[in-house]
Amino acid sequence: MANLKEIRNRITSISSTMQITSAMKMVSAAKLKKAQDAITAMRPYSDKLTELLQGLSASLEGDGGSEYADKRPVNKVLVVAITSNRGLCGGFNSNIIKQSNNLVSNKYPGKQVDFYTIGKKGNDILRKRHTILGDQSKVYDDLTFDNVAEIAELLMRLFTKGDYDKIELVYNKFKNAATQIVMTEQFLPIVGAEGDQAIAADYIFEPSKVEIVKELIPKSLKTQLFKAIRDSFASEHGARMTAMHKATDNAAELRDELKLTYNKARQAAITNEILEIVGGAEALNN
């Protein structure tokens, strides 16, 4: 039977851990509400802007498009891996790293694939096997559109200068607190709508359609990246809240098992003491 003092120490330790995980769950739940409201409000605008831009781009003829739509033979690829700065959030970060590695080995075998990381966890692990062009983990300290726009402008310059032929985003899309969907989304070149999705109505454009597209594309790309980071930010808090909830439940289950073991050990010890006393008394009487 285990030592009673050792079991008591384990019960105390697990109770302390429960307090920490429970507190982390409540903190993540509070942050999740704000992050969820932000991405829920932003998603319709971003989706509609992307749909409008794709329709306009597809309806342009000849070379009236944009330098951001330039499709070249894919030899150099930049993958923007969006993770978190902290752990304790289940498989949130490992899923992004796994998907990033799958892109290198399965989608772009034999190609030059570099990484641009947003989040310390992705940067720390991916840099061990791949080339990291840059890291923007500090963007989470002040997650605003202007700060994300600077990152988007850098990515756009890398593409237009020909440093990379294709840029992809890998991030967790927020569905609910318990579910995050790993997304691989093409950032550049922009993807035009196909077939009936192109805007074919007889609209009057002022200024010209080409000028409108050239004006909208940078804004749309910045919005697309901002939405991806916002999605990842909300997913992180949802994943952490779920992970801490499960950790608290597991700790409670383990604590109850240890209490049962402690009570059994204590009962056995008391029984042994009683037997020893009874045995001693009988020996004296004899």
Side-chain angles (χ1 to χ4, degrees):
M1 192 65 68
N3 183 276
L4 290 177
K5 183 177 181 181
E6 180 184 347
I7 297 177
R8 281 200 305 269
N9 291 339
R10 289 188 64 188
I11 292 174
T12 301
S13 175
I14 291 172
S15 298
S16 299
T17 302
M18 281 182 59
Q19 292 179 348
I20 296 172
T21 55
S22 180
M24 291 182 67
K25 172 191 170 183
M26 290 187 289
V27 170
S28 292
K31 292 182 177 180
L32 173 63
K33 181 63 172 64
K34 184 177 180 180
Q36 182 178 353
D37 291 344
I39 189 58
T40 302
M42 179 185 181
R43 194 174 283 162
Y45 168 77
S46 175
D47 293 344
K48 192 63 180 178
L49 179 61
T50 301
E51 177 187 341
L52 175 64
L53 180 63
Q54 289 178 344
L56 278 171
S57 300
S59 65
L60 293 176
E61 298 178 358
D63 58 353
S66 165
E67 57 186 345
Y68 301 114
D70 184 18
K71 294 183 179 179
R72 305 186 288 261
V74 178
N75 295 313
K76 296 181 292 183
V77 181
L78 181 65
V79 176
V80 182
I82 304 175
T83 57
S84 67
N85 285 342
R86 296 186 298 152
L88 298 177
C89 46
F92 175 83
N93 292 311
S94 59
N95 289 337
I96 296 298
I97 294 167
K98 181 180 178 180
Q99 179 63 13
S100 299
N101 288 326
N102 285 340
L103 287 178
V104 177
S105 58
N106 298 331
K107 190 174 181 180
Y108 302 112
K111 310 291 185 182
Q112 177 187 331
V113 181
D114 296 337
F115 284 85
Y116 195 93
T117 57
I118 299 175
K120 292 180 181 177
K121 290 299 180 180
N123 180 61
D124 292 344
I125 297 177
L126 289 171
R127 72 184 308 112
K128 296 177 182 178
R129 295 180 55 188
H130 308 288
T131 301
I132 303 297
L133 186 68
D135 176 59
Q136 286 290 344
S137 301
K138 293 182 179 180
V139 72
Y140 290 118
D141 296 339
D142 186 18
L143 187 53
T144 62
F145 180 82
D146 290 338
N147 289 337
V148 174
E150 294 179 2
I151 303 174
E153 289 171 356
L154 171 62
L155 298 177
M156 287 186 278
R157 285 197 302 270
L158 291 172
F159 178 78
T160 54
K161 289 194 303 181
D163 292 346
Y164 293 96
D165 304 313
K166 193 174 185 180
I167 299 178
E168 299 232 45
L169 307 179
V170 181
Y171 65 97
N172 282 292
K173 181 179 181 180
F174 178 80
K175 184 176 182 181
N176 54 52
T179 307
Q180 299 83 38
I181 304 171
V182 178
M183 298 291 293
T184 301
E185 194 173 277
Q186 183 168 316
F187 186 67
L188 286 167
I190 60 173
V191 181
E194 298 180 358
D196 297 336
Q197 292 180 336
I199 296 179
D202 187 17
Y203 292 119
I204 297 175
F205 295 95
E206 181 63 36
S208 69
K209 188 187 297 187
V210 174
E211 292 181 34
I212 291 176
V213 169
K214 288 184 177 180
E215 181 70 23
L216 278 179
I217 284 178
K219 183 175 182 179
S220 175
L221 291 172
K222 294 172 185 178
T223 304
Q224 181 184 355
L225 181 60
F226 187 53
K227 178 182 75 70
I229 297 177
R230 275 286 186 192
D231 253 320
S232 180
F233 190 63
S235 297
E236 176 193 348
H237 292 303
R240 182 171 292 110
M241 186 185 77
T242 302
M244 291 301 100
H245 176 73
K246 291 180 179 178
T248 303
D249 289 347
N250 291 338
E253 183 179 347
L254 181 57
R255 181 196 59 183
D256 292 342
E257 291 178 358
L258 285 172
K259 282 185 176 180
L260 182 60
T261 302
Y262 175 79
N263 290 333
K264 287 181 178 180
R266 186 167 176 270
Q267 185 179 19
I270 294 173
T271 302
N272 288 333
E273 290 178 3
I274 293 175
L275 290 175
E276 289 175 358
I277 294 173
V278 171
E282 290 180 353
L284 289 175
N285 291 333
N286 291 334

